[in-house]
């Protein structure tokens, strides 16, 4: 297959990836290099082919898929977390090349080195379009949403970061599996909380 064919992002490919994964994906960002890589689900949700995602893309390229009305707010929360470290939780829309809108729930964490410089970010993405009832995006630094699942997500994201340096693929895969499952539970809790807020 040629490179042009590898770069094609289709609705059929995304639908198949969402079905296979249960709508949950994982991403990792090397901040100094501005190189983000993601599993096929996350890549396709942001209109990036899995082949290009494996090679690495910039944050600005990823953000192109975010709905224009959500872009500035989500970008600012991410950049604030990059500078100071820590976690964020967000819901926002992404647009496919054909114009289809999807709602995503994201939980991310950013790490700093000993000098306080940003090093890496990683997180989980859950496609929540079917259960999304509110019509507005939100993104915030964690603080008001601290609970057992959020702490577990932070610990798992830190574990994943540590294991990525260790280079043991089986342990890294286990950390990703746990993180994805935590992401599912966080998205479910967020839907419940949003539902209560609307009543």
């Amino acid at each position: 297959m040629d490179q042009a064919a590898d770069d094609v992002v289709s609705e059929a490919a995304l639908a198949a990836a969402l079905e296979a994964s249960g709508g949950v994906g994982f991403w990792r960002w090397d901040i100094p290099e501005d190189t983000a890589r993601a599993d096929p689900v996350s890549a396709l949700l942001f209109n990036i082919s899995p082949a290009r995602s494996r090679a690495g893309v910039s944050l600005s390229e990823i953000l192109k898929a975010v709905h224009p009305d959500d872009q500035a707010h989500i970008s600012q929360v991410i950049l604030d977390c990059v500078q100071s470290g820590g976690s964020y939780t967000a819901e926002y829309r992404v647009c496919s090349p054909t114009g289809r809108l999807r709602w995503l729930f994201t939980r991310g964490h950013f790490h700093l080195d000993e000098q306080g410089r940003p090093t890496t970010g990683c997180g989980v993405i859950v496609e929540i379009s079917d259960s999304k009832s509110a019509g507005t995006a939100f993104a915030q630094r964690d603080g008001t949403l601290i609970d057992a699942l959020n702490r577990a997500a932070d610990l798992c994201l830190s574990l994943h970061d540590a294991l990525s340096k260790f280079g043991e693929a089986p342990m890294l895969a286990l950390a990703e599996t746990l993180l994805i499952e935590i992401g599912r539970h966080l998205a479910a809790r967020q839907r419940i909380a949003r539902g209560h807020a609307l009543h």
Side-chain angles (χ1 to χ4, degrees):
M1 185 178 290
D2 62 25
Q3 185 62 42
D6 285 344
D7 287 344
V8 172
V9 175
S10 71
E11 285 290 336
L14 177 53
L18 288 169
E19 177 72 22
S21 70
V24 180
F26 181 82
W27 57 269
R28 180 175 172 81
W29 181 31
D30 180 325
I31 298 168
E33 298 292 327
D34 189 19
T35 304
R37 292 179 173 85
D39 69 340
V41 172
S42 298
L44 290 166
L45 281 167
F46 287 89
N47 306 327
I48 298 166
S49 73
R52 289 195 55 242
S53 176
R54 284 191 297 274
V57 297
S58 68
L59 178 64
S60 62
E61 183 168 356
I62 291 168
L63 292 176
K64 288 179 185 175
V66 176
H67 190 283
D69 292 346
D70 301 342
Q71 233 172 50
H73 187 55
I74 301 302
S75 298
Q76 189 60 54
V77 169
I78 291 172
L79 293 176
D80 287 347
C81 284
V82 167
Q83 293 305 313
S84 58
S87 301
Y88 75 96
T89 304
E91 283 181 17
Y92 53 93
R93 295 163 290 180
V94 291
C95 308
S96 76
T98 61
R100 177 170 178 177
L101 289 180
R102 285 187 169 85
W103 278 97
L104 305 182
F105 171 89
T106 301
R107 167 76 181 193
H109 187 86
F110 297 99
H111 302 275
L112 306 178
D113 65 14
E114 294 79 10
Q115 287 75 44
R117 295 172 300 205
T119 57
T120 57
C122 55
V124 64
I125 294 174
V126 185
E127 202 265 351
I128 59 168
S129 301
D130 289 345
S131 57
K132 180 69 180 172
S133 57
T136 58
F138 88 94
Q140 62 187 52
R141 290 293 305 268
D142 284 342
T144 58
L145 291 178
I146 295 298
D147 61 12
L149 271 178
N150 281 318
R151 288 192 298 274
D154 277 345
L155 289 170
C156 195
L157 288 164
S158 295
L159 174 65
H160 185 275
D161 186 61
L163 290 175
S164 68
K165 296 180 178 84
F166 188 58
E168 282 290 328
M171 288 195 291
L172 197 59
L174 286 171
E176 289 178 8
T177 299
L178 178 58
L179 184 58
I180 286 169
E181 191 59 32
I182 291 171
R184 286 190 180 108
H185 285 280
L186 278 168
R189 286 178 64 99
Q190 189 61 41
R191 287 192 295 270
I192 292 168
R194 293 288 291 225
H196 290 161
L198 292 173
H199 292 95

